[in-house]
Amino acid sequence: VAKTYVGTQFKYRLKNMAFTASLRYGFPMGESEDADWRYRVVLNEFSYERHTYRLAHPSSYSALLEVEYQLFPFVNVFLDLAQDAFIGGWSERTTVKTGFPDRKFTILSPGIEVLLTSKFWLRQQAIFGIAGQNTLAPFSINTSLMYNFFPF
């Protein structure tokens, strides 16, 4: 099922600082059909049966607030506050239409970007789950090596 997204992003720059805010909302364009394979063993032989069911994926949104500070010409530090949420949706997997629980996850994420060359930079951030609903909130570290394809 196709999912449509609409969103916006705003960035305000000062001499050594920048502020970013973004919001993205997604919603499914319809329902879909999925399948489970159920099995059983009879006389040491497996038999499989396909079971199809309908489902509607949840709507979702992602929000981000970011503050960046240019520590040196080649080093940028930042702090992100972000939230992802999934709302609604249902499944008939159990033959009864069952709604999905709403899920929400809020993170606080400090990080650093180091400009290695004019085209490559290294970004590392620690991700702390600070609030959530019906979801896990593990601590993680994300490291990215990025390449800029733009000619300027």
Side-chain angles (χ1 to χ4, degrees), residues 5-107:
Y5 288 94
V6 293
T8 186
Q9 183 171 5
F10 174 78
K11 188 164 200 163
Y12 182 72
R13 294 180 193 266
L14 299 171
K15 184 179 178 186
N16 289 327
M17 291 189 76
F19 302 92
T20 304
S22 69
L23 181 64
R24 184 176 81 160
Y25 177 73
F27 55 94
M29 298 301 293
E31 300 172 2
S32 66
E33 188 174 283
D34 206 347
D36 273 344
W37 288 93
R38 297 182 179 168
Y39 68 92
R40 64 182 173 175
V41 179
V42 178
L43 299 173
N44 291 329
E45 293 288 326
F46 283 92
S47 68
Y48 296 93
E49 180 180 303
R50 185 171 196 241
H51 174 254
T52 59
Y53 60 93
R54 309 262 329 136
L55 72 125
H57 294 279
S59 297
S60 62
Y61 73 82
S62 296
L64 169 75
L65 295 174
E66 181 178 68
V67 177
E68 299 174 78
Y69 180 71
Q70 195 74 41
L71 196 59
F72 300 108
F74 57 92
V75 176
N76 182 40
V77 293
F78 60 91
L79 180 66
D80 291 352
L81 177 64
Q83 184 175 75
D84 292 322
F86 299 90
I87 302 132
W90 52 265
S91 169
E92 292 178 337
R93 188 175 189 180
T94 61
T95 67
V96 175
K97 187 182 275 189
T98 306
F100 296 140
D102 291 348
R103 295 180 297 160
K104 199 179 291 183
F105 183 44
T106 305
I107 63 166

